[in-house]
Amino acid sequence: QVQLVESGGGLVQPGGSLRLSCAASGFTFSSYAVNWYRQAPGKEREFVASISSLGIRTTYADSVKGRFTISRDNAKNAVYLQMNSLKPDDTAMYRCNALVNLKDSWGQGTQVTVSS
């Protein structure tokens, strides 16, 4: 059974940093790309970043490029999202996602709130 569990969210002031984690289980983690998405209240879900199975290729939304860094540790079955220079517009529920055996799998999400 595929499981993705996010953690690391919280309340942070503008300009601050957070590191999100996504712990995976139930599949051969090192064989699959992983994505981060976010959704703010009243807004559509937005792609944030993705990382290829071996971590060689990364992709970012323009809105986070230069501020966020996605990485993974296949030995720990984990993906990370380092978020720096956070802005109020980054406030959202962040969820990790993987397409495993043609099925979309999602974690429950971790809330990030950027506010003074």
Side-chain angles (χ1 to χ4, degrees), residues 1-2 5 19-20 24-25 28 30 34 36 39 43 49 65 67 71 76 80 86 88 92 97 104 114:
Q1 180 182 355
V2 175
V5 180
R19 188 192 192 210
L20 305 185
S25 61
T28 307
S30 59
V34 177
W36 282 99
Q39 188 166 19
K43 294 187 177 181
K65 207 170 288 184
R67 300 187 297 122
S71 61
K76 295 183 178 179
Y80 308 101
L86 283 162
N97 158 266
D104 242 351
V114 184

Side-chain angles (χ1 to χ4, degrees), residues 30 33 50-60 70-72 74:
S30 59
S50 68
I51 188 165
S52 59
S53 58
L54 299 181
I56 294 172
R57 185 163 54 195
T58 58
T59 306
Y60 297 93
I70 189 171
S71 61
R72 67 190 295 161
N74 284 346

Side-chain angles (χ1 to χ4, degrees), residues 2-41:
V2 175
Q3 278 199 314
L4 299 169
V5 180
E6 302 91 338
S7 61
L11 174 63
V12 63
Q13 292 188 342
S17 297
L18 281 175
R19 188 192 192 210
L20 305 185
S21 298
C22 172
S25 61
F27 63 105
T28 307
F29 181 73
S30 59
S31 296
Y32 294 92
V34 177
N35 312 298
W36 282 99
Y37 284 81
R38 67 186 182 185
Q39 188 166 19

